[in-house]
Amino acid sequence: MRVTITFHPIYEFFTSFYVFLDKGGQKRTDLGLSWVSDVKSNLSAEFLEEVSKKETKIKVAVLQYYLLSQSFDEHDDILELLSRIEQEEMKTLITPAYECTEFKDQIPPNVKDVIPFLREWHEAYFSTIDDQILNNLRESVKKAFGLQQQLDARQLVEKLTNGVILPKESERNAILIPQYHYSPTILHEKTIHQYIYFYPVDAKPIEEGSPPIELMRTIRALSDENRIKILKYLAQGDRTFSDVQKFIGLAKSTVHHHLIVLRSAGLLSLVLFENQQHQYRFRKEGYMGMEQFLSSFITDNDKEIQT
């Protein structure tokens, strides 16, 4: 297996746009619904009508897969890259990777019609975000390159995705791209030849004296009695979703929510298989890391907290 770690601002640009389209996903992001409301006030009525359509999500997926198949310079401007896409023939935009998606039989004939709305998104929102966010994403890639020298391919994927364990028997390569807007959720796709992971990075600058969001995420995950019970159950061995649901006796949607929260906090690993249900595994290092993280923050008196 070969692992490629890459980043360009246009990936984060598409991720931010995709979050705005994803009503279900918005509830699971650190940005939350308040971010959606704030951004909406700067967008046109025509834009808001367009993004409410299911086919818009498909158009964005087509363009995103196309970008993943391309090579371009780190300094290429987002608007310039969108102009290049606009000049491509439609058949060129449909990559083999896209043909593996759930949308493969639902390709709108006018995919490039979404580009004017992408330009509006750039002007109204993406061009206004803190430059430090993009710089921190770039820095995360440098750190990932360092880890790549120390870990094998599957260990590297597990580390950067906070617990995704790929099948030992798989021959697929992996593409890893850091992202901020969907944090702490991991975006993932599986094609014939690749695993694609947009892994979360806490790239927003932290206010002085504030606890790291990663720490708060873990504390919140451990603040629920049922989630503690699930962790104790999984500490006994790997289990499928059905196993967990049967054990805890809650509705599937509730169990799904609890598992997402625990996964986002790095307390569970997701063990993938080629021909059977994936399983959840207690991730001891996530729990032990939390203890060290909390102690480090509380006892760090180098910076005086303003009150």
Side-chain angles (χ1 to χ4, degrees), residues 124-271:
Y125 172 70
F126 197 77
S127 63
T128 70
I129 68 171
D130 190 337
D131 286 341
Q132 192 59 45
I133 290 173
L134 297 178
N135 289 335
N136 286 343
L137 289 172
R138 292 186 182 96
E139 285 300 313
S140 75
V141 171
K142 293 179 182 178
K143 293 178 182 177
F145 285 154
L147 290 172
Q148 197 168 26
Q149 306 306 312
Q150 307 168 30
L151 305 173
D152 67 33
R154 285 177 174 79
Q155 289 173 331
L156 180 64
V157 172
E158 196 277 340
K159 180 72 173 178
L160 293 181
T161 61
N162 227 10
V164 173
I165 300 175
L166 297 180
K168 293 180 179 179
E169 67 273 21
S170 176
E171 296 299 322
R172 291 182 178 88
N173 294 319
I175 298 177
L176 301 175
I177 303 170
Q179 57 86 13
Y180 157 73
H181 280 82
Y182 248 112
S183 293
T185 304
I186 297 171
L187 299 179
H188 56 91
E189 297 289 349
K190 181 175 73 173
T191 71
I192 295 175
H193 302 295
Q194 296 174 325
Y195 293 102
I196 304 170
Y197 289 100
F198 289 81
Y199 64 92
V201 172
D202 296 324
K204 186 176 182 179
I206 301 173
E207 293 183 13
E208 186 174 342
S210 297
I213 190 169
E214 181 181 351
L215 174 61
M216 295 309 300
R217 196 180 290 137
T218 306
I219 291 173
R220 285 194 291 268
L222 293 171
S223 67
D224 184 276
E225 180 180 351
N226 285 314
R227 289 199 281 271
I228 296 291
K229 289 179 179 178
I230 290 171
L231 285 177
K232 183 176 177 62
Y233 175 61
L234 291 173
Q236 301 170 27
D238 298 357
R239 298 289 188 270
T240 65
F241 177 90
S242 298
D243 293 332
V244 176
Q245 198 267 331
K246 183 177 180 180
F247 162 76
I248 202 68
L250 299 173
K252 289 183 178 180
S253 59
T254 304
V255 176
H256 183 63
H257 168 73
H258 285 322
L259 291 173
I260 286 176
V261 172
L262 291 168
R263 275 280 302 114
S264 298
L267 296 169
L268 293 183
S269 292
L270 184 65
V271 185

